[in-house]
Amino acid sequence: MQRVLEPEVMDTWEEAIEYDAMDFTEVNTAFAQSAVEIGPPAGLILDAGTGTARIPILISQMRPQWQIIGIDLSKNMLQVGSKNVEKAGLQSQIQLELVDAKKLPYPDHHFDMVISNSIVHHLPDPLPFFREIKRLLKPAGAIFIRDLFRPADEKIMDMLVNSYAADCNAHQKKLFRDSLNAAFTLEEVNQIVKDAGFKDVKVYPSSNRHWTAERSIQK
């Protein structure tokens, strides 16, 4: 299947509310647990494409020693996220900022870890993002990035939508289908990671619809 781009930013209030209402508890919890396992005992963490901050909230409850900066290009996503952070009482651990992940305003070697869930398929070209990660990570820093991969054909896509969005409304099903269509193949992700200059990042399929790129904290 050919890649079909979807909008880079989901920036209407309605989209933000509907996205936040979708039940990603299972995949978000799995993401948070895996990130915590390979990350530092304490440190400064960047969450790129934080959306409505559901993952930083989960992680902060598991790792109160982490300070997390969550960035996104959607003002409305961040507005909903701020309410979620406040409701969870985690304002002292989580800071949300309106920032473009392709051009990050942070100094070199600033973060102990970079995490990101489902941002890559939104980017027309993810290479600048991966190069920015390499620049701002400390030399021993950890990486945990996860996203969807593009199905091989329409039959597989239909199966995934019917399996994982069965209880969603028509618009939410369309959002999931569009995301699958905009995603990269595992081979494409491997090439992007290589082109960004990483030699020690493992890229692997982590479910029947997700890939993960990871590097544990170097001790």
Side-chain angles (χ1 to χ4, degrees), residues 100-161:
D100 186 347
K102 303 185 298 298
K103 193 174 182 181
L104 296 162
Y106 309 110
D108 294 357
H109 312 311
H110 189 59
F111 290 95
D112 296 284
M113 185 176 191
V114 174
I115 64 173
S116 181
N117 183 55
S118 295
I119 189 179
V120 174
H121 77 267
H122 284 284
L123 304 175
D125 178 9
L127 185 56
F129 168 57
F130 278 90
R131 284 176 172 161
E132 280 289 81
I133 293 173
K134 193 170 191 300
R135 178 185 68 78
L136 56 82
L137 257 182
K138 292 180 180 178
I143 296 170
F144 194 76
I145 299 172
R146 179 168 288 169
D147 207 324
L148 298 166
F149 58 75
R150 193 167 72 252
D153 54 47
E154 289 282 350
K155 184 177 180 180
I156 296 174
M157 180 178 290
D158 289 341
M159 181 273 292
L160 291 171
V161 172

Side-chain angles (χ1 to χ4, degrees), residues 18-177:
E18 185 147 24
Y19 180 83
D20 193 56
M22 294 175 74
D23 186 7
F24 296 121
T25 304
E26 184 178 347
V27 291
N28 285 352
T29 301
F31 181 99
Q33 289 172 337
S34 296
V36 163
E37 287 173 4
I38 70 166
L44 181 62
I45 316 299
L46 177 69
D47 178 27
T50 195
T52 59
R54 292 294 185 181
I55 285 176
I57 290 169
L58 287 170
I59 288 176
S60 293
Q61 292 165 342
M62 299 176 188
R63 276 287 184 273
Q65 309 94 322
W66 285 13
Q67 292 293 315
I68 302 176
I69 297 177
I71 65 166
D72 208 282
L73 260 182
S74 169
K75 293 180 181 179
N76 284 309
M77 286 283 193
L78 293 175
Q79 188 173 341
V80 176
S82 293
K83 294 180 185 295
N84 290 338
V85 171
E86 184 176 353
K87 185 177 180 180
L90 293 168
Q91 302 95 314
S92 64
Q93 287 175 248
I94 301 171
Q95 178 181 340
L96 302 181
E97 299 182 354
L98 184 68
V99 169
D100 186 347
K102 303 185 298 298
K103 193 174 182 181
L104 296 162
Y106 309 110
D108 294 357
H109 312 311
H110 189 59
F111 290 95
D112 296 284
M113 185 176 191
V114 174
I115 64 173
S116 181
N117 183 55
S118 295
I119 189 179
V120 174
H121 77 267
H122 284 284
L123 304 175
D125 178 9
L127 185 56
F129 168 57
F130 278 90
R131 284 176 172 161
E132 280 289 81
I133 293 173
K134 193 170 191 300
R135 178 185 68 78
L136 56 82
L137 257 182
K138 292 180 180 178
I143 296 170
F144 194 76
I145 299 172
R146 179 168 288 169
D147 207 324
L148 298 166
F149 58 75
R150 193 167 72 252
D153 54 47
E154 289 282 350
K155 184 177 180 180
I156 296 174
M157 180 178 290
D158 289 341
M159 181 273 292
L160 291 171
V161 172
N162 292 333
S163 295
Y164 297 105
D167 297 330
C168 295
N169 63 38
H171 183 236
Q172 290 168 337
K173 287 180 179 178
K174 183 179 184 303
L175 288 176
F176 183 44
R177 180 180 292 275

